[in-house]
Amino acid sequence: MSAVLFSSFDVTRQAFYRSRLTAAIVNLKPIVPGHVLVIPMATRIVPRLADLKHDELTALMTSVQHVAKVIERVYGADGLTIACQDGKAAGQTVPHVHFHLLPRKLQGDPFARNDDVYPALERSEGGLPQALRQAPQASHVDADEDRKPRTLSEMEKEARWLQSFFDAAETAVLADANEAGTADK
């Protein structure tokens, strides 16, 4: 299986979902439990949304929708914050298109004021390129700016766990398609 690159960073071991043109990866410094990224798997670095080809953009948005449904269910969320920081002026620090998916809850959400998630997201992105280059040593998941990067082992464990839900979802989709095909005959 080919490597999953997030800009020039190999994130293959953090990937839990793949389609032909996209991947979903666990986050190095999640803001909330279940904070994941969906990225295009282009053979080039794709800095901005406008740099995607039509089929890549279609596949990316389809994957955002598919991953969002599973993440919301798995984390018992009531909704999701879905964000794309498109360009440096928008807070993007890794020069490769990516969507953040953050499970949110009506009660018990770490952000009492809903829009407080955006400054936290911006702070999260701020040190990401440096953190991706270093071997993370600590794990801490919360909404403060002192979050430490997780270890590769921690991210791999979460990725394998999440992958099991996608394997199950794909099996259910195939079963439904087979049932529909049988019903038509």
Side-chain angles (χ1 to χ4, degrees):
M1 196 170 280
S2 62
V4 177
L5 296 178
F6 180 36
S7 184
S8 59
F9 305 105
D10 185 345
V11 292
T12 306
R13 293 166 60 184
Q14 290 113 282
F16 61 88
Y17 170 81
R18 289 185 191 207
S19 72
R20 187 173 67 81
L21 296 173
T22 67
I25 61 174
V26 297
N27 199 321
L28 178 65
K29 294 173 68 175
I31 294 173
V32 297
H35 177 183
V36 300
L37 305 177
V38 180
I39 62 174
M41 285 200 352
T43 56
R44 67 200 188 286
I45 295 173
V46 184
R48 303 283 308 273
L49 204 57
D51 297 328
L52 289 167
K53 297 174 185 168
H54 184 266
D55 62 330
E56 293 170 328
L57 179 59
T58 300
L60 182 60
M61 295 314 296
T62 299
S63 290
V64 165
Q65 182 183 48
H66 178 60
V67 171
K69 286 178 186 177
V70 176
I71 292 296
E72 186 171 349
R73 181 176 51 82
V74 167
Y75 284 92
D78 300 305
L80 295 161
T81 294
I82 299 175
C84 176
Q85 294 162 300
D86 192 31
K88 190 172 186 166
Q92 180 184 19
T93 59
V94 176
H96 193 74
V97 173
H98 55 287
F99 279 83
H100 294 261
L101 281 65
L102 295 91
R104 304 296 301 278
K105 298 187 178 201
L106 290 171
Q107 295 188 9
D109 195 89
F111 299 99
R113 291 181 343 115
N114 190 47
D115 285 348
D116 288 347
V117 71
Y118 299 109
L121 187 58
E122 189 171 340
R123 285 190 305 271
S124 172
E125 284 273 312
L128 200 52
Q130 181 64 23
L132 282 167
R133 287 185 184 88
Q134 297 171 347
Q137 299 300 314
S139 174
H140 188 69
V141 179
D142 65 17
D144 67 50
E145 55 191 4
D146 294 326
R147 289 181 341 275
K148 303 283 188 253
R150 299 187 296 166
T151 66
L152 182 55
S153 174
E154 290 169 316
M155 290 185 292
E156 265 187 291
K157 183 178 178 183
E158 182 183 12
R160 297 296 71 82
W161 177 71
L162 286 172
Q163 186 175 15
S164 70
F165 294 99
F166 286 87
D167 293 344
E170 298 307 316
T171 300
V173 167
L174 290 174
D176 289 347
N178 287 336
E179 278 184 30
T182 316
D184 292 339
K185 293 181 182 179

